[in-house]
Amino acid sequence: MAVVAEAQFHVLAVDDSLMDRKLIERLLKTSSFQVTAVDSGSRALEVLGLSEDLTSSAAVSPAHNEIEVNLVITDYCMPGMTGYDLLKKIKGSSSLKDIPVVIMSSENVPSRINRCLEGGAEEFFLKPVQLSDMKRLRPHILKGKSKEQQLQQEETSITSNKRKARDDELSPERRRPRLSNNSLI
Amino acid sequence: MELGSLQRRYIDFTTALFREGFLDNQYTQLQQLQDESNPEFVLEVVTLFFEDSEKLLDELSRTLDQQVVDYKKVDAHVHQLKGSSASIGAQRVKNVCMAFRNFCEERNQEGCLRCLQQVRQEYFLVKSKLETLFRLEKQILAAGGSVPVLW
């Protein structure tokens, strides 16, 4: 866990406003994140290695992505693909669905907020986004990372236990709910 | 003007801007994000605000001048202006935008035109105040001093 906590995480920021992009980029960098800022949902999908034309089953696997993205933070109101549309595309992709997504909006519309949260967004930030909001990002990334780590650990133990031939028993084990008492920052 | 007077002038001017509601805490947030690695951050963001706003004000005039006013379009522009003014802490501009949006909803052309005039006024006011502020900062730095930190 200590290694994960010290790593510099990479956030993909999506906003059609140049001003807001500049702001969010500065907020993120000041909070020690690596940042890639793009101006549209379709650009975001390109960066994530998922072309709009491909269905999730045809998506490029994470190993082939140019950059690893640990969290996506996106504006809600954008021309073309909205932040919500982008959220659904990410959550609908087998390779990207575990990337935490945070939505930003200057409008406090409860139905919009609920829709985003129900659509799989981790959080909803009201604009203008503050420096203090940045603290709320790391827990979402770490939550995803430790889930990823545990799955990887389980996979390693599976392949190293060839002699014990427990393969058929492993699927139910993997689906066992994870009891987390990891202390997150 | 010598450094001490410049700095005092800066303090008085800034304090008044906040007291009179031209700027709010969001502007302070911007200042806090500026450092040696990004010494022009506030200026850069505010410059973008100036560019965005003037474009929007022109668009608003054009849209409200049509025979049949597209209120959805007007509202979209005001929403953008409200967002960017909120982002830099231009409180008075933001407040007029809020009233402006209500008139859009009511499809009240007269109300909208009044708000446009008001928002333009507030915008040019805050623009000139910010330009003065930046000028003072430049003068202080040129005189070899540092800009007082008021937060």
Side-chain angles (χ1 to χ4, degrees):
Chain A
M1 255 10 250
V3 175
V4 174
E6 283 161 19
Q8 203 185 29
F9 296 125
H10 183 204
V11 176
L12 175 61
V14 192
D15 201 313
D16 60 313
S17 153
L18 177 55
M19 208 178 123
D20 286 349
R21 261 199 318 282
K22 201 174 167 69
L23 270 166
I24 194 73
E25 194 169 349
R26 189 83 199 108
L27 284 167
L28 288 164
K29 284 191 172 156
T30 303
S31 311
S32 306
F33 290 104
Q34 240 189 299
V35 189
T36 299
V38 297
D39 64 359
S40 69
S42 32
R43 261 305 280 148
L45 290 176
E46 277 173 38
V47 168
L48 291 166
L50 183 68
S51 166
E52 258 197 281
D53 302 324
L54 299 174
T55 59
S56 55
S57 56
V60 178
S61 76
H64 294 106
N65 278 357
E66 285 157 12
I67 342 170
E68 196 205 345
V69 170
N70 301 119
L71 184 136
V72 175
I73 183 163
T74 177
D75 188 23
Y76 182 91
C77 279
M78 294 189 293
M81 197 187 296
T82 65
Y84 180 77
D85 297 331
L86 177 59
L87 167 70
K88 294 305 274 177
K89 288 219 193 260
I90 292 173
K91 294 300 165 184
S93 152
S94 50
S95 56
L96 303 175
K97 64 177 167 50
D98 291 325
I99 300 179
V101 180
V102 170
I103 311 249
M104 310 178 274
S105 176
S106 55
E107 291 182 304
N108 191 348
V109 181
S111 57
R112 174 184 296 183
I113 298 173
N114 285 327
R115 193 168 167 244
C116 289
L117 295 175
E118 277 162 27
E122 304 294 333
E123 273 216 67
F124 194 97
F125 286 171
L126 270 182
K127 282 177 159 184
V129 178
Q130 314 275 294
L131 199 52
S132 53
D133 291 326
M134 298 292 99
K135 294 196 196 103
R136 291 149 67 181
L137 298 176
R138 211 164 288 262
H140 296 305
I141 299 176
L142 291 173
K143 187 171 67 189
K145 285 247 150 214
S146 60
K147 183 165 109 185
E148 195 186 295
Q149 261 192 348
Q150 190 179 41
L151 281 175
Q152 283 173 4
Q153 280 168 9
E154 286 175 0
E155 272 167 41
T156 325
S157 70
I158 290 163
T159 52
S160 69
N161 281 331
K162 283 181 200 159
R163 222 192 285 168
K164 290 183 182 177
R166 275 165 46 204
D167 287 13
D168 14 330
E169 290 171 61
L170 286 166
S171 329
E173 255 189 54
R174 258 205 240 174
R175 280 190 229 115
R176 178 185 65 214
R178 190 172 69 85
L179 297 170
S180 167
N181 52 9
N182 292 317
S183 50
L184 297 173
I185 294 167
Chain B
M1 208 184 286
E2 55 95 33
L3 182 59
S5 317
L6 279 171
Q7 287 171 324
R8 266 190 306 278
R9 188 150 170 235
Y10 175 86
I11 293 170
D12 290 341
F13 191 72
T14 308
T15 314
L17 281 182
F18 281 89
R19 190 180 56 236
E20 289 160 21
F22 285 102
L23 295 177
D24 65 24
N25 183 63
Q26 187 58 28
Y27 187 79
T28 310
Q29 288 270 315
L30 289 189
Q31 291 177 307
Q32 290 173 348
L33 288 171
Q34 182 164 292
D35 61 17
E36 312 78 49
S37 67
N38 269 260
E40 305 263 89
F41 178 69
V42 181
L43 180 62
E44 287 164 9
V45 178
V46 172
T47 304
L48 285 173
F49 168 68
F50 290 163
E51 287 168 6
D52 272 0
S53 303
E54 285 172 39
K55 250 183 259 173
L56 286 167
L57 288 171
D58 284 342
E59 271 303 308
L60 280 166
S61 288
R62 230 187 321 268
T63 315
L64 280 167
D65 203 29
Q66 301 297 306
Q67 273 282 42
V68 182
V69 176
D70 182 349
Y71 286 100
K72 248 187 150 182
K73 211 172 175 192
V74 178
D75 186 68
H77 291 321
V78 179
H79 167 67
Q80 247 193 288
L81 185 57
K82 174 171 166 261
S84 50
S85 56
S87 290
I88 68 139
Q91 193 180 53
R92 280 159 74 147
V93 176
K94 181 187 78 175
N95 289 342
V96 179
C97 287
M98 282 160 67
F100 202 153
R101 290 194 84 189
N102 289 334
F103 286 120
C104 287
E105 229 180 300
E106 292 168 20
R107 303 172 68 84
N108 182 335
Q109 190 173 26
E110 214 187 284
C112 283
L113 286 167
R114 266 201 316 271
C115 276
L116 177 58
Q117 199 181 27
Q118 230 186 317
V119 86
R120 198 184 256 125
Q121 232 176 305
E122 289 298 342
Y123 165 73
F124 283 107
L125 252 173
V126 79
K127 180 179 183 188
S128 109
K129 302 245 177 219
L130 284 167
E131 285 173 338
T132 302
L133 201 64
F134 293 139
R135 204 163 35 241
L136 276 168
E137 286 180 1
K138 226 174 164 180
Q139 285 174 300
I140 291 169
L141 294 172
S146 52
V147 178
V149 173
L150 293 165
W151 41 268

